[in-house]
């Protein structure tokens, strides 16, 4: 027997894990691909988990007072989760994002009651491609607004709540839903919270974790950084020292191109009916590489980070 949830916050976990057998067979791969469908969370992204944990932890410690405003730098997904959480718990929320991020994300946050501050991109930046320089400008504005509003800064790049949210929910869910059969996990690095948290959970379970970066923007792996421009929003910012990955037990790095991410997002949609965004395509591309090389015959899990609906204004679905 089931009962109604107390609020939408209680729906921010326990997403399905789906075996991509049709796609595996289409590609002739040996092993299994498992997709964690976090685009089915209320904010249509995995960031709901971190948003809820960050606000609840801050309220519990008293760092966030009742009714105090919340400010966060976001590509749109963490901001959407925070807009939902803050609405339920009574905190005004200000999302600060680059104009290079898709407009769908900003409109969704505004519909959920957030104030969205759009920051102009750095000179030479391309709309739809948010660089590390763009992110730095967003951070400056987020700092200014935090001080001006007397706000709490959610700070997904620094606060450990981001990390522990995935260590305590995403990792255990994948482990149990897979029948404890996962042998590898991979994730495109944004703040590093998902990868760092899941890797920590898997550390004593003989499950290897891999970071995915855009080809030519391989700052974390210490590889080629000659081509930082890429279309995968929400990560690949050329930040070589992400706090959430400093002590993460990683087994290696994978690189993917924007074209590969786009192609794999299409494969995911057409062969499995899973409508994910650019980073989901990047994650699938990385998982495919693992089954072709380092993890042949294994079971590789990845997260469908957000919904393809957030990219309709980008080139992701343009043939």
């Amino acid at each position: 027997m089931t009962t109604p949830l107390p609020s939408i916050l209680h729906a921010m976990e326990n997403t399905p894990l789906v075996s991509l057998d049709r796609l595996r067979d289409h590609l002739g791969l040996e092993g299994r691909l498992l997709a964690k469908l976090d685009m089915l969370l209320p904010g249509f992204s995995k960031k709901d988990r971190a948003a809820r944990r960050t606000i609840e932890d801050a309220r519990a410690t008293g760092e966030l007072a009742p009714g105090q405003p919340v400010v966060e730098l976001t590509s749109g997904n963490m901001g959407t989760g925070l807009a939902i959480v803050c609405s339920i718990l009574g905190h005004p929320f200000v999302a600060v994002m680059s104009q290079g991020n898709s407009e769908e994300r900003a409109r969704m946050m505004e519909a959920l009651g957030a104030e969205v501050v759009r920051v102009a991109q750095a000179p030479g930046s391309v709309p739809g491609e948010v660089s590390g320089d763009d992110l730095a400008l967003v951070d400056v504005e987020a700092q200014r607004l935090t001080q001006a509003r007397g706000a709490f800064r959610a700070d997904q790049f620094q606060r450990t709540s981001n990390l522990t949210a995935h260590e305590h929910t995403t990792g255990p869910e994948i482990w149990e839903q897979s029948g404890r059969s996962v042998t590898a996990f991979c994730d495109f690095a944004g703040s590093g919270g998902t990868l760092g948290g899941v890797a920590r959970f898997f550390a004593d379970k003989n499950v290897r974790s891999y970071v995915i970066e855009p080809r030519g923007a391989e700052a974390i792996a210490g590889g080629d950084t000659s081509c930082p421009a890429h279309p995968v929003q929400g990560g690949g910012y050329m930040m070589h020292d992400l706090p959430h990955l400093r002590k993460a037990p990683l087994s290696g790095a994978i690189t993917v191109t924007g074209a590969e991410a786009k192609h794999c997002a299409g494969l995911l949609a057409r062969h499995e009916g899973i409508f994910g965004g650019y980073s989901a395509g990047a994650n699938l591309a990385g998982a495919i590489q693992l089954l072709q090389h380092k993890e042949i015959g294994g079971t590789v899990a990845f997260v469908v980070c957000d919904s393809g609906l957030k990219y309709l204004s980008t080139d992701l679905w343009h043939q």
Side-chain angles (χ1 to χ4, degrees):
M1 181 177 180
T2 60
T3 58
L5 297 175
S7 77
I8 196 70
L9 303 187
H10 293 80
M12 290 181 164
E13 58 187 3
N14 293 320
T15 54
L17 186 70
V18 176
S19 185
L20 308 183
D21 296 343
R22 285 153 295 280
L23 187 52
R24 176 203 59 195
D25 294 343
H26 171 74
L27 296 172
L29 300 171
E30 182 181 345
R32 296 183 76 196
L33 291 167
L34 300 179
K36 182 69 166 158
L37 304 190
D38 270 18
M39 55 13 143
L40 297 180
L41 291 171
F44 305 153
S45 94
K46 66 179 184 178
K47 293 289 189 177
D48 284 9
R49 299 174 186 266
R52 177 185 174 186
R53 183 65 177 255
T54 298
I55 298 303
E56 289 183 342
D57 284 355
R59 284 167 59 94
T61 62
E63 188 175 3
L64 174 60
Q68 184 180 5
V70 174
V71 169
E72 179 60 333
L73 165 158
T74 179
S75 68
N77 284 335
M78 183 69 167
T80 300
L82 286 168
I84 294 170
V85 175
C86 289
S87 174
I88 296 297
L89 297 180
H91 298 277
F93 173 58
V94 183
V96 190
M97 68 185 297
S98 170
Q99 288 182 347
N101 291 123
S102 63
E103 183 63 19
E104 292 92 328
R105 299 178 182 212
R107 292 184 181 181
M108 184 175 180
M109 288 187 285
E110 288 171 335
L112 290 164
E115 175 186 345
V116 179
V117 176
R118 297 163 174 82
V119 178
Q121 291 184 269
S125 294
V126 179
E129 298 182 4
V130 179
S131 68
D133 289 341
D134 294 330
L135 196 70
L137 293 174
V138 176
D139 185 52
V140 169
E141 181 63 9
Q143 290 183 43
R144 187 190 70 80
L145 286 168
T146 300
Q147 184 174 8
R149 305 285 180 92
F152 168 81
R153 175 78 183 270
D155 203 352
Q156 60 182 301
F157 284 85
Q158 297 288 338
R159 292 190 184 275
T160 57
S161 296
N162 182 2
L163 189 75
T164 55
H166 296 286
E167 182 180 7
H168 295 161
T169 66
T170 311
E173 288 173 25
I174 291 172
W175 186 238
E176 294 302 327
Q177 290 171 328
S178 71
R180 304 188 175 191
S181 67
V182 173
T183 59
F185 174 78
C186 58
D187 194 55
F188 185 77
S191 68
T194 305
L195 179 60
V198 173
R200 278 170 48 161
F201 173 79
F202 281 145
D204 63 351
K205 296 175 173 57
N206 197 31
V207 178
R208 293 165 291 281
S209 298
Y210 298 84
V211 61
I212 300 174
E213 293 188 278
R215 194 161 302 157
E218 303 151 36
I220 298 170
D224 179 15
T225 57
S226 63
C227 185
H230 64 87
V232 188
Q233 296 185 23
Y237 297 125
M238 294 276 288
M239 299 171 68
H240 70 278
D241 184 26
L242 290 171
H244 298 319
L245 296 183
R246 283 176 187 162
K247 297 182 180 180
L250 301 181
S251 297
I254 307 163
T255 63
V256 302
T257 66
E260 288 169 338
K262 179 177 180 177
H263 176 67
C264 285
L267 289 178
L268 198 58
R270 291 191 299 274
H271 289 273
E272 297 288 354
I274 297 172
F275 195 47
Y278 250 122
S279 54
N283 283 350
L284 173 58
I288 290 170
Q289 287 187 44
L290 287 175
L291 283 188
Q292 290 173 329
H293 301 287
K294 296 180 179 179
E295 299 288 340
I296 294 175
T299 298
V300 181
F302 66 93
V303 176
V304 179
C305 307
D306 64 4
S307 170
L309 291 171
K310 297 189 176 189
Y311 300 86
L312 296 179
S313 66
T314 74
D315 70 346
L316 179 57
W317 304 113
H318 296 169
Q319 300 301 318

